[in-house]
């Protein structure tokens, strides 16, 4: 090889060497800047716990080590410590602990979230015990001495009332050499979001923030909400999965920055899709370049209630102490400063009781204002005409359900009660009561929820189609049938009632379409299916 | 030997003044460095020896740098290596260079040995250089062994334990060697100190001395002039200049190596395993890859057998030029037999090494 | 001796090309090895190793009374005294006496930090006022704090003495 060529090669290799050295320097500078995952810190206080439980329940300790808590040195005792004398506390290896960690415990550090959460409907989820749903679980499905359906079913989402085993004198029974209080196994384990805790707090933070890793990415994922917000009576997760929002999410999960530490902001940290948390809890960018604070009060941005037989818009009355009440728009709002006798449900002696508490009105938030906050999230991706038109579509569907089916059905049911056909003490005695229940509680809700979250199939086929089918084919005949059980005259009365209903314009189609419509229908089927 | 011409340049004047201060026959050195290089050295295979030397220089440089931070005490060793890898500026780079240069040096050394064998350059009168080279191989492997133990990871500790146990299996003097290596009946505090002294003191001194002798013998004998069958090389192309031609080649290799080693350091930086725990033996103990052939042999036979076999093999390899000389004369063995033998030996080494690499 | 220095050929014809090659090689080698030497030099100078710190949970504001003191530990096992000086003022000091390393404690009545070994006294801001520490002008080492008022939590900033496995 020619010397000159060789020299040029050396020069070229020197250049390559230099480039590689620059890469080394770059790597070195990056190394110092990169924020690495911090090793978990076991403080002296928690060392004893970790040492034992690392062999007793290794995966649990590993999960904790993975958490942000461990990175700051917040460990077992910091959350599980209890005070002597509390019903759930016992002396364990030198410390008073409780297996129950309630929102009040979390509030020691997470005060804002606790405040918001305890005002919300999530915290009230355990107060459904006087509802028809409860009757179905305890009476229809359950039996005296065994309410396993409530325990395994309803309460696991809604939350149980935590109870302890007691002797005849009402003292808690203890067991084991540590004299650990025995908890009623029906009521725990339970991490229902509205769990009613012995310390008076409501709810369970780890319903959404699964322990012991408490990963943000889990809480922000739609599947998390889907544990409870699913099923025939409120298929939010199924609707979300059907919708474009859901599709966008699943296709772009890796772009969602779910692991973001601290505030997770739509329009800053991620843009690919909204999750449940995005619209109902989390922060989003606003046009002034700032972002909204997040709020654990999940109802803050809700304008309709889609839960009852007849949907209403919701105004919010907030009292001095933070207590919140939803006022249907049909109910007259109080003035700020008024003292109202509010009804609150609390646990006394391990039972849910109603208490009347006078409170002073501090603030009123109208349904329009609540909707505006929700719209703020939508406007990150959609124009205001788009958003407004959507709400118009949504409103119209709710009104359609309300006016065509809900109101007439409810009126008939009220009359059946008034006429003594139905026994107010026997809510599920007759076929018509089951049909009516499902009409508003199942398909009626599916239709409304479907419209609220852009799931067209749920709105129609799982929703309004089934509402209309059951209304015409099941409900109306069942009304007549149950009326007949009270005698021929009653039967005729309700036959007539149904006739009058079906004579109304929106129901006339049952008896016959117009000639023109019928002809068009025939021709359409001939062309398409050759029949 | 070529004639040389004295040229009156400024450099020459300077050298004259220096040579008055140090009355050494500088002509000898000039003469030695002006030795024309046989043309076959242009073939890149023949640069392997220089490659090993260059990598050794890198090892010395990076090794000395690392010594500024390394602490050879069992409770601080691992931490000091972690400090180098994670805290010290460019620490990861220097350490990774040291690691990869070590591996490359051993590879280059094996390849160099192969080249020397297959070109018969160990034959009379160059037998001694082969022996020196073989000693250097042993020293380099020991460098690798001791160096890795200094990191004081689990594998470091337990590798050292296994190594010392193997030494113990040497007939007669084994236990003494093991006792010396360990600095006691068990691997402990003394062991790390001894390995450290070996690695930065005794072995480098031996290496420097032997390398000097190795190169000296090459210069004294002159590079073997080779004849290649079927290739007629014109007289004026039979030699080329050491300076600047061959020197430039060496520079080329040097820069190339630096570049490749840096890339290796970037892409595969030296890592840190679990710190040594004398009370917990890891599931799978493996030595460094250059001992795999030995390890596989150990697993296939027994401790005694494999150690004795390895020693015998080592002895044969060390004395090979003499053995081959004697056998050749006695039995008139044709060259291709030696070639075949070399191929088989190398294949054997390869097979055992690769086999061990697949096994847990 | 053949001094074929910079490739100055006797022929002179291709000498400029040779010279350019030689210069390119020289510069290349000098610069690349120079940078290498620089990186090596930086390696040998340990002055600016950034001490990595991390925040540790020190307590809930609601659980530390005004004027209250609590003891906690950093990641190297050193004891630290955290004191709520006022409603919204927190201070943390290393409890290692700067004189000879004894353990300092807080005295509520005297409102001072006291070292029993040689009767070193520090005021409530950790400044040495009497005893050997005062003679030497050695105050208590202050530990940086972070107070998160929204969450109601105090953090201390300590040296990250944990090691990552790479």
């Amino acid at each position: 090889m020619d010397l000159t060529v060789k020299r040029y090669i050396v020069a070229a290799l020197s250049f390559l060497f230099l480039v590689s050295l620059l890469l080394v320097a770059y790597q070195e500078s990056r190394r110092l800047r990169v924020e690495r995952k911090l090793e978990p810190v076991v403080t002296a206080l928690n060392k004893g716990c970790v040492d034992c439980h690392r062999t007793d329940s290794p995966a649990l300790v590993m999960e904790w080590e993975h958490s942000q808590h461990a990175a700051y040195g917040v460990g077992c005792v910091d959350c599980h410590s209890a005070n002597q004398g509390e019903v759930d506390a016992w002396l364990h290896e030198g410390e008073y602990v409780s297996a129950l960690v309630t929102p009040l415990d979390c509030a020691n550090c997470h005060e804002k979230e606790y405040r918001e959460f305890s005002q919300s409907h999530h915290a009230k989820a355990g107060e459904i015990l006087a509802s028809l749903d409860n009757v179905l679980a305890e009476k229809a499905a359950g039996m005296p001495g065994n309410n396993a359906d409530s325990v395994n079913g309803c309460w696991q989402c809604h939350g149980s009332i935590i109870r302890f085993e007691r002797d005849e004198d009402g003292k808690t029974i203890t067991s084991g050499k540590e004299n650990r209080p025995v908890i009623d196994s029906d009521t725990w384990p339970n991490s229902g979001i509205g769990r009613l805790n012995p310390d008076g707090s409501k709810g369970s933070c780890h319903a959404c923030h699964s322990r012991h890793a408490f990963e943000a990415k889990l809480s922000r994922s739609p599947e998390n909400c889907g544990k409870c917000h699913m099923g025939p009576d409120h298929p939010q997760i199924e609707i979300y999965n059907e919708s474009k929002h859901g599709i966008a999410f699943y296709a772009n999960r890796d772009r969602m920055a779910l692991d973001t530490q601290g505030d997770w902001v739509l329009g800053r940290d991620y843009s690919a899709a909204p999750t449940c948390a995005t619209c109902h809890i989390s922060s989003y960018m606003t046009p002034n370049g700032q972002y909204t604070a997040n709020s654990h009060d999940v109802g803050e941005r809700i304008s309709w209630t889609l839960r009852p037989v007849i949907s209403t818009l919701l105004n919010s009355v907030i009292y001095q102490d933070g207590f919140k009440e939803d006022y249907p728009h049909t109910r007259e709002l109080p003035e700020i400063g008024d003292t109202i006798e509010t009804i609150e449900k609390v646990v006394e002696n391990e039972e849910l009781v109603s208490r009347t508490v006078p409170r002073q009105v501090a603030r009123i938030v109208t349904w329009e204002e609540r909707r505006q906050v929700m719209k703020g999230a939508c406007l990150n991706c959609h124009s205001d005409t788009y958003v407004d038109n959507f709400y118009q579509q949504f409103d119209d569907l709710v009104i359609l359900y309300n006016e065509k089916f809900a109101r007439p059905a409810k009126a008939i049911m009220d009359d059946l009660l008034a006429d003594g056909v139905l026994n107010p003490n026997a809510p599920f005695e007759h076929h018509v009561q089951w049909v009516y229940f499902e009409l508003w509680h199942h398909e009626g809700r599916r239709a409304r929820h479907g419209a609220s979250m852009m799931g067209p199939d749920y709105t129609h086929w799982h929703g309004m189609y089934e509402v209309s089918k059951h209304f015409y084919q099941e409900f109306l005949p069942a009304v007549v049938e149950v009326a007949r059980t009270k005698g021929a005259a009653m039967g005729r009365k309700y036959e007539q009632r149904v006739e009058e209903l079906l004579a109304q314009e929106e129901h006339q189609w049952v008896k016959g379409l117009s000639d023109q419509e019928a002809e068009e229908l025939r021709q359409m089927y001939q062309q398409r299916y050759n029949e | 030997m070529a004639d040389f011409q004295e040229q009156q340049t400024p450099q020459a004047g300077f050298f004259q003044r220096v040579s008055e201060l140090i009355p050494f026959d500088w002509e000898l050195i000039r003469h030695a460095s002006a030795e024309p290089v046989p043309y076959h050295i242009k073939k890149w295979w023949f640069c392997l020896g220089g490659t090993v030397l260059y990598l050794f220089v890198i090892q010395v440089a990076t090794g000395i740098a690392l010594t500024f931070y390394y602490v050879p005490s069992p409770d601080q060793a691992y931490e000091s290596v972690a400090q180098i890898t994670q805290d010290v500026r460019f620490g990861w780079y220097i350490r990774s260079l040291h690691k990869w240069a070590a591996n490359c040096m051993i590879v280059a050394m094996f390849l160099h040995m192969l080249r020397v064998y297959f070109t018969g350059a160990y034959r009379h009168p160059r037998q001694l250089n082969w022996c020196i080279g073989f000693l250097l191989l042993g020293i380099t492997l020991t460098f690798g062994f001791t160096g890795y133990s200094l990191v004081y990871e689990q594998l470091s500790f337990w590798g050292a334990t296994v190594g010392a146990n193997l030494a113990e299996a040497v007939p007669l003097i084994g236990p003494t060697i093991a006792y010396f290596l360990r600095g006691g009946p068990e691997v402990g505090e003394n062991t790390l100190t001894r390995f450290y002294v070996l690695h930065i003191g005794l072995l480098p001194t031996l290496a420097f001395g032997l390398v000097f002798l190795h190169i000296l013998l090459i210069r004294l004998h002159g590079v073997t002039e080779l004849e290649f069958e079927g290739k007629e090389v014109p007289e004026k192309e039979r030699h080329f200049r050491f300076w600047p031609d061959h020197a430039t080649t060496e520079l080329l290799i040097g820069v190339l190596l630096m570049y490749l080693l840096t890339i290796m350091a970037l892409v595969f930086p030296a890592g840190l395993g679990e710190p040594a725990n004398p009370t917990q033996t890891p599931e799978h103990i493996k030595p460094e890859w250059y001992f795999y052939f030995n390890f596989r042999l150990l697993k296939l036979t027994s401790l005694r057998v494999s150690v004795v076999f390895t020693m015998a093999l080592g002895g044969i390899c060390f004395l090979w030029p003499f053995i081959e000389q004697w056998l050749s004369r006695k039995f008139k063995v044709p060259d291709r037999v030696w070639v075949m033998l070399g191929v088989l030996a190398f294949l054997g080494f390869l097979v055992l090494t690769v086999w061990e690499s697949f096994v847990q | 001796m053949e001094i074929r220095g910079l490739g100055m050929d006797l022929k002179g014809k291709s000498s400029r090309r040779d010279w350019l090659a030689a210069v390119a090689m020289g510069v290349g080698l000098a610069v690349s090895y120079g940078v290498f030497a620089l990186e090596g030099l930086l390696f040998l100078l340990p002055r600016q190793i950034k001490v990595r710190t991390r925040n540790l949970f020190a307590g809930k504001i609601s659980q530390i009374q005004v004027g209250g003191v609590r003891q906690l530990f950093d990641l190297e096992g050193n004891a630290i005294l955290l004191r709520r000086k006022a409603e919204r003022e927190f201070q943390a000091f290393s409890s290692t006496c700067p004189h000879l390393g004894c353990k300092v404690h807080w005295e509520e009545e005297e409102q001072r930090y006291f070292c029993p070994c040689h009767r070193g006294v520090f005021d409530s801001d950790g400044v040495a006022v009497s005893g050997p520490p005062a003679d030497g002008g050695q105050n208590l080492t202050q530990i940086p704090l972070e107070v998160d008022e929204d969450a109601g939590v105090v953090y201390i900033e300590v040296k990250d003495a944990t090691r990552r496995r790479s």
Side-chain angles (χ1 to χ4, degrees), chain C:
Chain C
M1 164 162 136
E2 287 185 327
I3 303 178
R4 297 292 174 108
L6 294 166
M8 279 187 279
D9 225 8
L10 288 173
K11 284 190 217 135
K13 229 186 270 182
S14 48
S15 64
R16 210 181 74 182
R17 185 165 157 258
D18 296 339
W19 174 82
L20 194 62
V23 166
M25 180 177 95
V27 168
L29 288 173
V31 173
S32 57
Y33 276 102
V35 171
F36 180 64
L38 195 70
E39 289 180 358
L41 189 69
L42 285 174
F43 170 84
L44 292 171
L45 296 169
R47 257 179 306 143
Q48 280 156 48
I49 300 174
K50 268 200 195 108
V51 177
R52 269 195 326 272
T53 61
R54 63 191 288 180
N55 282 349
L56 281 188
F57 173 72
K60 308 155 192 167
I61 293 180
S62 57
Q63 289 198 346
I64 311 171
Q65 292 128 340
V66 177
V69 170
R70 63 155 58 173
Q71 178 182 267
L72 32 129
F73 295 90
D74 68 8
L75 293 174
E76 292 165 298
N78 305 314
I80 294 172
L81 293 170
L82 172 70
R83 185 167 163 264
R84 188 173 190 175
K85 196 168 166 164
E87 176 72 25
R88 300 171 79 151
E89 208 187 320
F90 289 84
Q91 281 174 326
F93 295 105
S94 163
S95 69
T96 308
C97 184
H99 175 226
L100 287 174
C102 284
K103 190 121 181 269
V104 166
H105 61 265
W106 171 256
E107 289 184 333
E108 186 60 36
E109 276 124 49
E110 281 86 336
Q111 287 285 296
R112 66 181 190 183
Y113 293 97
F114 184 71
C115 181
C117 287
H118 306 97
R119 311 190 74 78
V121 177
F122 307 84
D123 68 12
S124 62
D125 287 319
V127 176
V129 292
S130 85
D135 297 337
Q138 299 160 306
N139 301 332
L140 288 178
T141 310
Q142 192 152 29
I143 308 290
L145 283 174
E146 198 187 297
V147 180
D148 184 347
E149 289 195 7
D150 283 335
V153 176
V154 182
Y155 299 97
I156 49 168
E157 195 185 321
V158 299
K159 190 168 138 199
D160 184 3
T162 54
R163 277 287 166 207
R164 264 150 298 282
R165 303 278 170 268
S166 48

Side-chain angles (χ1 to χ4, degrees), chain B residues 65-191:
Chain B
L66 290 169
T67 326
F68 276 92
Y69 293 103
Y70 178 74
V71 180
S73 134
D75 44 306
Q76 290 184 62
Y78 183 86
E79 178 60 34
S80 67
V81 175
Q83 194 196 2
I84 291 170
T85 315
Q86 290 165 5
D87 287 337
V88 176
R89 282 185 297 197
F90 297 108
W92 61 273
Y93 176 51
I94 302 294
R95 184 174 166 229
S96 302
L97 277 181
H98 197 75
K99 172 197 164 137
W100 285 112
N103 282 306
C104 289
M105 184 174 163
I106 293 172
V107 170
M109 198 171 251
F110 279 128
L111 291 175
H112 173 66
M113 203 169 127
L114 280 175
R115 195 282 293 165
V116 169
Y117 181 84
F118 286 113
T119 55
Y122 55 88
R123 289 179 175 156
H124 186 79
R126 293 179 175 81
Q127 301 95 322
L128 281 180
N129 225 11
W130 169 274
C131 300
I132 292 173
F134 192 76
L135 284 177
L136 280 169
L137 175 68
I139 288 175
T140 311
L141 292 177
T142 315
F143 261 125
F145 175 66
T146 52
Y148 186 59
S149 298
L150 294 178
V151 178
Y152 227 62
E153 294 174 324
Q154 271 286 63
L155 278 180
S156 311
F157 182 88
W158 292 101
T161 310
V162 171
N165 289 342
L166 279 169
E168 209 165 85
V170 169
L172 291 173
I173 50 168
T176 314
I177 297 178
Y179 201 82
F180 164 72
L181 275 177
R182 286 193 218 111
E186 268 173 20
V187 172
E189 207 167 81
N190 285 344
T191 317

Side-chain angles (χ1 to χ4, degrees), chain A residues 1 3 6-7 9-10 13-14 16-17 20-21 23-25 27-28 31, chain B residues 86-90 92-93 244-245 248-249 252 255-256 258-259 262 266:
Chain A
M1 192 187 281
L3 178 66
K6 214 187 286 185
R7 282 186 172 142
I9 292 179
V10 176
L13 284 173
S14 309
L16 284 175
F17 179 37
S20 69
L21 283 170
L23 279 172
V24 167
Q27 186 76 310
E28 173 67 20
R31 197 177 58 86
Chain B
Q86 290 165 5
D87 287 337
V88 176
R89 282 185 297 197
F90 297 108
W92 61 273
Y93 176 51
D245 296 79
T248 312
T249 310
L252 197 160
V255 187
L256 179 65
M258 291 306 296
Y259 170 60
T262 306
L266 277 167

Side-chain angles (χ1 to χ4, degrees), chain A residues 372-386:
Chain A
Q372 273 307 115
V373 186
M374 178 69 91
K375 283 186 180 178
C378 316
L379 289 169
N380 262 274
C381 302
H382 302 286
S383 72
D384 41 8
T385 315
Y386 189 107

Side-chain angles (χ1 to χ4, degrees), chain B residues 20-33:
Chain B
E20 280 165 29
L21 292 172
I22 309 170
F24 175 73
D25 191 356
W26 293 102
E27 287 305 309
L28 268 178
I29 296 195
R30 287 184 192 173
H31 184 69
S33 65

Side-chain angles (χ1 to χ4, degrees), chain A residues 141-392:
Chain A
M143 61 196 250
N146 187 340
N147 63 345
D149 188 30
S150 308
V151 170
N152 289 281
C154 316
W155 295 356
Q156 291 297 329
C157 283
H158 283 267
S160 59
I161 302 175
I162 300 287
R163 293 192 175 98
F164 288 85
E165 300 277 352
R166 292 169 190 276
D167 58 23
E168 314 88 50
D169 302 318
K171 229 166 69 79
T172 46
I173 296 172
T174 64
S175 93
K177 56 176 158 61
E178 286 178 343
N179 288 328
R180 182 181 172 158
V182 178
I183 209 165
D184 180 353
S185 62
D186 273 354
T187 65
W188 190 85
N190 184 292
S191 46
I193 201 161
R195 192 178 73 183
L196 295 152
N197 305 300
D199 60 7
S201 65
K202 290 180 185 172
S204 157
C205 303
H206 60 271
C208 297
H209 294 279
S210 303
R211 45 175 199 226
H212 284 78
F214 303 105
E215 284 179 302
K217 79 167 188 260
L218 185 147
S219 317
R220 291 167 180 156
S221 297
E223 296 93 336
N224 193 38
C225 315
K227 171 175 172 199
C228 300
H229 290 274
M230 62 156 281
D233 55 341
H234 42 55
Q236 286 100 338
I237 188 69
E238 292 93 325
I239 291 166
Y240 175 79
N241 290 346
E242 188 202 344
S243 75
K244 271 276 178 262
H245 288 161
I247 294 165
F249 172 79
Y250 293 111
N252 291 300
R253 195 173 203 133
D254 52 338
R255 282 204 296 129
M256 289 296 294
L258 292 170
D259 268 324
T260 308
Q261 263 189 45
D263 295 330
W264 180 62
V265 182
L266 172 68
R268 184 193 75 169
D269 301 310
Y270 66 101
S271 60
T275 63
C276 318
T278 309
C279 299
H280 293 280
I281 296 180
S282 300
S283 306
Y284 54 80
M285 292 299 290
T286 58
N288 65 3
Q290 307 290 324
Y291 60 88
T292 58
N294 68 352
S295 172
H296 278 68
D297 183 349
V298 289
E300 264 185 10
R301 306 175 189 179
I302 301 288
S303 41
W304 278 110
T305 168
L306 304 178
R307 206 179 2 98
V309 181
I310 299 169
S311 281
T312 63
L313 294 157
L314 289 177
N315 296 314
S316 197
V317 174
I318 302 160
Y319 299 90
Q320 292 279 15
D321 63 347
F323 185 74
K324 260 182 162 185
E325 272 187 326
D326 277 333
Y327 268 53
H329 70 278
T330 47
R331 184 176 170 191
E332 198 188 319
L333 283 166
E335 302 280 316
I336 294 178
D338 285 355
T339 303
I340 307 288
E341 295 289 318
T342 61
I343 298 169
E344 194 185 351
K345 291 208 169 91
V346 292
V347 172
E348 272 172 27
N349 297 321
E350 295 181 343
E351 292 295 334
L352 196 65
V353 295
S354 282
R355 257 198 342 211
T356 315
V357 180
R359 286 186 165 101
Q360 208 177 28
V361 177
R363 242 175 6 115
I364 302 212
V365 182
T366 62
W367 68 266
E368 291 100 331
E369 286 167 311
R370 290 166 80 159
R371 184 173 281 193
Q372 273 307 115
V373 186
M374 178 69 91
K375 283 186 180 178
C378 316
L379 289 169
N380 262 274
C381 302
H382 302 286
S383 72
D384 41 8
T385 315
Y386 189 107
V387 174
D388 289 342
N389 285 7
F390 159 73
Y391 267 104
Q392 189 61 57

